Amino acid sequence: MVVWTSDEPTTIEIPAQSGAIVRLAPEHRLRIIDVEGTQVADMFAVSVNDLADWLSVAVTRGVNWRLFPQVGQAFLSIPYRPMLTFESDESPGVHDMLAAPCSPQMYAALGHQGYHRSCSENFRAAADAVGWHPLHVPDPVNFFQRTPIDATGSITALPALTSPGDSVTLRADAPLFVIVTACSMDVEPINGGHCTPLRLEVGP
């Protein structure tokens, strides 16, 4: 598990089906890069000053009146505090804030037999590094995930549209710990059936 806390710009490689946690000061930027394409990035964030104050996808949807923020809009925490501004999107622009993080329970429900790495376990390992122990894994921001909703309200899991090198950039609005996991899902096709790495570029 990679933990980054320096003020110097750095690049972090996240292996397939793994994760990393970074500490951001206000105005620091986090760029999430899909290295090989068709790979979803699950993102979680929490205040450095209050580990009970984390990014809420429900609050973010409600404040922005959108299923996913546009560039220039913010991701907000449970008490409606701006956490991260969506600064740029160098990808096809298809993302998700409805799906839960993959977990052992999810894989069991999908009929998978035996152990399978998951974003929930990778979240727990990263959060443990800074003493963050929420009772339940928060719902993530799923960058690059393509799960469209049709006219009947049904959701379909489809491969991400990203190509190698596509990215999103976020600017911190507060002191934060941010966790990013390279989604482990290969039972549903959201990662194209094959999980691959992510890269983070972090710094002022």
Side-chain angles (χ1 to χ4, degrees):
M1 184 59 56
V2 179
V3 183
W4 180 84
T5 59
S6 170
D7 287 330
E8 296 298 321
T10 194
T11 298
I12 298 167
E13 305 294 337
I14 303 179
Q17 300 183 317
S18 187
I21 183 167
V22 299
R23 179 170 178 161
L24 303 181
E27 302 301 317
H28 277 188
R29 285 170 174 80
L30 170 66
R31 184 178 178 219
I32 304 172
I33 303 165
D34 185 354
V35 177
E36 298 182 20
T38 324
Q39 175 60 47
V40 171
D42 286 27
M43 185 189 76
F44 312 81
V46 67
S47 169
V48 168
N49 300 318
D50 182 358
L51 296 179
D53 182 13
W54 60 76
L55 190 157
S56 167
V57 296
V59 170
T60 298
R61 289 193 301 264
V63 169
N64 291 308
W65 290 100
R66 292 181 55 83
L67 289 176
F68 202 91
Q70 293 178 303
V71 169
Q73 293 182 320
F75 297 89
L76 293 96
S77 70
I78 294 169
Y80 287 71
R81 296 190 184 100
M83 285 196 142
L84 293 155
T85 296
F86 195 6
E87 190 165 80
S88 67
D89 190 353
E90 302 297 330
S91 80
V94 178
H95 312 288
D96 170 88
M97 286 199 315
L98 296 177
C102 62
S103 65
Q105 295 82 4
M106 179 183 289
Y107 289 114
L110 292 171
H112 179 79
Q113 300 294 316
Y115 176 73
H116 194 295
R117 294 182 68 89
S118 70
C119 287
S120 291
E121 290 178 310
N122 287 332
F123 165 85
R124 290 289 189 193
D128 184 65
V130 296
W132 183 22
H133 304 293
L135 181 61
H136 302 289
V137 177
D139 288 337
V141 177
N142 300 306
F143 285 111
F144 315 134
Q145 182 165 325
R146 182 164 61 128
T147 42
I149 306 170
D150 68 17
T152 71
S154 297
I155 299 173
T156 305
L158 298 174
L161 294 173
T162 43
S163 299
D166 283 352
S167 69
V168 293
T169 301
L170 306 156
R171 185 183 70 248
D173 298 313
L176 301 174
F177 294 117
V178 179
I179 294 170
V180 178
T181 65
C183 181
S184 300
M185 174 59 72
D186 54 11
V187 178
E188 297 288 345
I190 61 169
N191 296 308
H194 175 63
C195 298
T196 55
L198 297 172
R199 179 177 299 128
L200 306 182
E201 293 179 352
V202 192

